[in-house]
Amino acid sequence: MTRLVIDNLNFSYDDTDAARNICLSVDKGEFVGLIGPNGSGKSTVLKNLYRALKPDSGKVSLDGDDLFFLSHKAAALKLGVVGQENDVPFDFLVEEIVAMGRSPHKKLFDIDNEHDKYIVHHALEHLGMANMAKRNYLHISGGEKQRVLIARVIAQECDFLLLDEPTNHLDISYQLQIFDFVKRLGVTALSAIHDLNMAALYCDRIFVLKAGEIVLQGKPEEVLTPENILNVYGVRCDTRIHPITGKPAITFLPSGKL
Amino acid sequence: MSKSNLPRGAFNRANPNMPVIIVLLLIIAVISLLLCVGLGPVTVTPGNVAKILLSRIPAVGSAIPRSWERLDENIVLGLRLPRVCLGLIVGASLAVTGVTMQALVRNQLADPFILGVSSGAAATATLGMLFGVFAFFGEYSLSISAFIGSAVTIIFVYTISRVRGRVNISQLLLSGVAISMIMDGVTRIITLSAPNALGLHNAAFWMSGSLAGAKWGYLTLPLAVLLICMAVLMINYRGLNLLLLGDESAGALGINAGRLQKLLVLVGSLMAGVTIAVSGTIGFVGLMVPHFTRLLVGGDHRRVLPISALLGGILVVWVDVAARMLLAPEEMPVGILTAIIGGPLFIFLLKRGSRDKKGW
């Protein structure tokens, strides 16, 4: 079943095209990756989906509904976002930040009840952060902040996640933990991913962006070939299917050697 | 700030006991009212103040023996009580305006005075007063003209300081300074070119703020506006919290950020306008009070809004007492005192902000 369909999406910042003729679809339960060099438009595409940016043209439908006609609240019940914006210049506890994920479920005069508290606690526990619930969000590390935001999107309880490089600034153990976690949730996800090996490990399908356009798409082993990577990123590498993971493993080659 | 030295008890940052805190602050507010009504060039004892006040309550009034001077009664009921009540309302409004503007620009340094909103309100209010520009609004023309000034200034400062969808803090502070200078200049020109003496409402009043000359009639509109705005803000407390995460995150969590921000501009300028129309510019209350409130109960607006209102009222009432006692029988404008207290805190926050790189 197809959940998200992007049809011919275009977006430009002032004069420069940042996303051109983007067409992609995500099926139920799939983990789809968006890769590409810096500035290729990965974030731009995602921001158009969660309405931080307004597309110049194009249609996006989620479960058959036109996404841009849904209210913010209705969209937030289906679509959870982990963006790159993670600084909060105000005094909040970790658990308060996570509890904000409950907002779309709340009516005007509702206050947080036991059920919400349970979900918040549960989400923090899943990320191994239950002991940090009462810590001040201002004073935790960047990696911890990122995990808090993942906990928040879990508390939001939606079954479609948009992730904008969710493992930036994280130690390798947390990178693996977060992707493992999203996979285990069994949700549908569309994620911008910086690290090609991570993309190879976790994505069911990959779309490659270059200068605002989708230039390649397919399974990781089809997309992540040395020729494609040279074309898109301009670096030489060697890829082979790793015997344990069964996924492509990419080794980049320094320019001096070979 | 480590976790271990958080205050315990009701004012426990991690788990504040809201009913206890609110009752405590209400009691402090009532005690402040009784004390402050008595304090001034002519002192009335708190006991007499309480008796005079009780004697005006229909049911119990007749049971109170009259043991006070006629003069005391006149001072308490005619001069001091409206002044103290106005102080409570003005303080609460300014503090809540500060909270509103901080959510709008996503920075703790926002305050109606610092962002030039007070000056804008003062300029249009003087204009309205002198030339009757807004006379067609009738009784409330002064408040409405001040509201127009504050709304225009907020929108202006906000638009200037928004760079690529984010409020740039140095642009915000600098444009606030520039606009308040322009507006203060306008106010001065208007008052200097005034054909008649403006009585109490002269340039000095607008620029340094005072609660002297408060009348019962001054209280109605600011109180009504405070209650309505407070209700609107409390209903939207989740939205206010989410705005602090940034527009994008707020949108992703189901808030129409643009619409909420417009609402905040309206609410903030309404409160700033009607408050400034009756009290002139009293600076830094909107900066100091939310800051200390957050230290006590954290950043959640469901707690910050009511606590700020109560603390703001109490603060302004006491600073006003100081204003009329320190140089007695001369009166100091209360705005000068809040500036002397609040200015250093502003500098401290500014330094801390640039050191931690948090919130910048």
Side-chain angles (χ1 to χ4, degrees):
Chain A
M1 192 183 91
T2 308
R3 294 208 59 196
L4 181 82
V5 180
I6 307 177
D7 184 18
N8 226 350
L9 184 94
N10 285 283
F11 177 83
S12 55
Y13 293 103
D14 299 323
D15 301 330
T16 43
D17 284 351
R20 248 179 313 170
N21 306 327
I22 303 292
C23 295
L24 69 80
S25 65
V26 182
D27 291 341
K28 187 172 164 56
E30 258 192 321
F31 192 111
V32 173
L34 282 178
I35 62 171
N38 287 336
S40 59
K42 306 186 291 283
S43 287
T44 308
V45 170
L46 292 176
K47 282 182 180 178
N48 273 286
L49 297 182
Y50 63 85
R51 290 199 275 186
L53 297 173
K54 205 170 159 19
D56 301 333
S57 66
K59 258 191 74 171
V60 178
S61 66
L62 178 65
D63 298 332
D65 298 321
D66 189 328
L67 186 62
F68 302 131
F69 281 95
L70 290 178
S71 71
H72 281 78
K73 199 168 173 167
L77 285 171
K78 289 189 167 181
L79 209 59
V81 179
V82 178
Q84 290 189 339
E85 190 178 60
N86 74 357
D87 63 317
V88 181
F90 284 82
D91 201 347
F92 283 103
L93 302 181
V94 164
E95 62 177 5
E96 289 172 329
I97 297 279
V98 177
M100 289 183 192
R102 300 299 299 155
S103 298
H105 296 271
K106 292 289 161 181
K107 297 204 185 65
L108 210 51
F109 295 100
D110 286 356
I111 59 168
D112 293 358
N113 55 30
E114 287 304 316
H115 179 62
D116 297 315
K117 283 186 191 143
Y118 169 77
I119 289 175
V120 167
H121 180 74
H122 198 65
L124 281 169
E125 217 169 34
H126 261 304
L127 286 160
M129 299 195 74
N131 58 342
M132 301 187 87
K134 300 281 182 195
R135 289 277 294 277
N136 192 324
Y137 184 79
L138 277 176
H139 304 135
I140 61 177
S141 73
E144 288 164 341
K145 283 183 181 173
Q146 199 63 26
R147 285 194 286 156
V148 171
L149 298 193
I150 302 275
R152 187 179 76 198
V153 89
I154 292 165
Q156 199 177 336
E157 290 191 309
C158 24
D159 55 359
F160 198 120
L161 299 186
L162 294 178
L163 311 167
D164 194 352
E165 299 190 10
T167 56
N168 255 5
H169 320 298
L170 291 190
D171 280 348
I172 183 68
S173 61
Y174 291 134
Q175 295 191 26
L176 292 165
Q177 185 195 6
I178 281 176
F179 281 124
D180 280 337
F181 193 78
V182 173
K183 286 289 252 194
R184 214 167 44 233
L185 283 175
V187 296
T188 314
L190 176 62
S191 176
I193 300 177
H194 196 71
D195 185 321
L196 298 185
N197 279 310
M198 285 290 160
L201 278 178
Y202 290 99
C203 294
D204 300 313
R205 276 192 302 142
I206 292 179
F207 287 81
V208 185
L209 280 161
K210 190 182 181 188
E213 283 182 283
I214 292 180
V215 290
L216 285 167
Q217 54 178 294
K219 291 197 159 58
E221 54 272 28
E222 299 161 4
V223 169
L224 297 171
T225 61
E227 302 78 53
N228 288 340
I229 291 172
L230 181 63
N231 283 337
V232 173
Y233 288 87
V235 294
R236 293 187 313 128
C237 66
D238 174 54
T239 65
R240 50 193 66 196
I241 302 296
H242 193 276
I244 299 177
T245 62
K247 304 278 186 185
I250 302 153
T251 308
F252 296 102
L253 305 173
S255 55
K257 299 280 158 66
L258 304 168
Chain B
M1 220 184 300
S2 77
K3 190 184 157 198
S4 54
N5 55 21
L6 285 168
R8 292 281 148 224
F11 288 95
N12 175 353
R13 164 65 190 86
N15 193 13
N17 188 336
M18 282 302 283
V20 171
I21 298 176
I22 287 188
V23 168
L24 206 64
L25 287 177
L26 279 175
I27 293 171
I28 295 175
V30 171
I31 293 173
S32 304
L33 185 124
L34 291 179
L35 290 175
C36 295
V37 165
L39 290 171
V42 178
T43 307
V44 184
T45 61
N48 273 351
V49 172
K51 279 192 239 167
I52 293 172
L53 294 184
L54 285 175
S55 75
R56 306 296 290 197
I57 298 171
V60 290
S62 49
I64 307 284
R66 289 180 67 90
S67 60
W68 58 85
E69 305 272 332
R70 182 87 201 146
L71 178 68
D72 286 355
E73 183 170 334
N74 286 346
I75 288 179
V76 166
L77 293 177
L79 289 175
R80 299 261 178 81
L81 190 59
R83 181 170 178 163
V84 170
C85 290
L86 187 66
L88 285 172
I89 296 171
V90 163
S93 298
L94 289 173
V96 174
T97 309
V99 173
T100 311
M101 295 177 62
Q102 287 161 14
L104 179 68
V105 303
R106 233 186 131 209
N107 195 289
Q108 311 216 24
L109 293 174
D111 166 272
F113 175 65
I114 295 164
L115 298 192
V117 173
S118 306
S119 304
T124 49
T126 349
L127 198 69
M129 206 157 188
L130 259 184
F131 303 109
V133 184
F134 304 105
F136 50 90
F137 290 127
E139 191 189 342
Y140 296 123
S141 64
L142 187 64
S143 302
I144 291 170
S145 50
F147 159 62
I148 293 171
S150 55
V152 168
T153 330
I154 288 192
I155 293 168
F156 205 59
V157 171
Y158 184 61
T159 322
I160 294 179
S161 55
R162 229 175 129 89
V163 182
R164 258 180 271 128
R166 278 168 173 269
V167 172
N168 177 309
I169 188 62
S170 28
Q171 298 243 18
L172 181 79
L173 296 179
L174 291 175
S175 55
V177 170
I179 287 187
S180 65
M181 282 176 174
I182 296 170
M183 291 302 185
D184 283 350
V186 171
T187 309
R188 256 179 220 285
I189 291 172
I190 299 168
T191 46
L192 285 174
S193 62
N196 51 351
L198 271 168
L200 184 68
H201 289 92
N202 50 27
F205 168 79
W206 291 116
M207 285 178 200
S208 46
S210 169
L211 297 171
K215 299 192 190 88
W216 285 110
Y218 289 3
L219 300 181
T220 336
L221 184 64
L223 180 63
V225 167
L226 173 64
L227 293 177
I228 293 168
C229 291
M230 198 62 187
V232 170
L233 293 171
M234 283 303 283
I235 288 172
N236 283 297
Y237 83 89
R238 276 179 206 282
L240 289 171
N241 287 345
L242 292 181
L243 274 189
L244 301 184
L245 304 179
D247 294 8
E248 290 176 8
S249 306
L253 286 165
I255 295 295
N256 188 336
R259 197 166 64 195
L260 185 57
Q261 282 159 341
K262 287 188 190 95
L263 183 73
L264 293 186
V265 168
L266 181 70
V267 165
S269 44
L270 201 56
M271 278 193 294
V274 297
T275 307
I276 288 155
V278 290
S279 68
T281 303
I282 301 178
F284 295 105
V285 175
L287 175 86
M288 289 189 278
V289 174
H291 177 72
F292 289 118
T293 306
R294 291 196 179 96
L295 288 182
L296 288 179
V297 297
D300 185 351
H301 281 94
R302 192 162 65 88
R303 300 193 287 259
V304 168
L305 286 165
I307 303 293
S308 290
L310 285 167
L311 281 178
I314 295 168
L315 175 76
V316 167
V317 165
W318 280 106
V319 176
D320 185 47
V321 168
R324 59 180 187 256
M325 301 284 281
L326 281 180
L327 298 180
E330 285 293 311
E331 278 245 359
M332 245 194 293
V334 62
I336 290 182
L337 273 186
T338 58
I340 289 174
I341 307 167
L345 176 72
F346 175 76
I347 294 169
F348 167 74
L349 291 177
L350 200 61
K351 290 301 283 181
R352 195 187 63 172
S354 50
R355 196 185 61 223
D356 300 358
K357 294 276 176 231
K358 272 169 189 154
W360 292 76

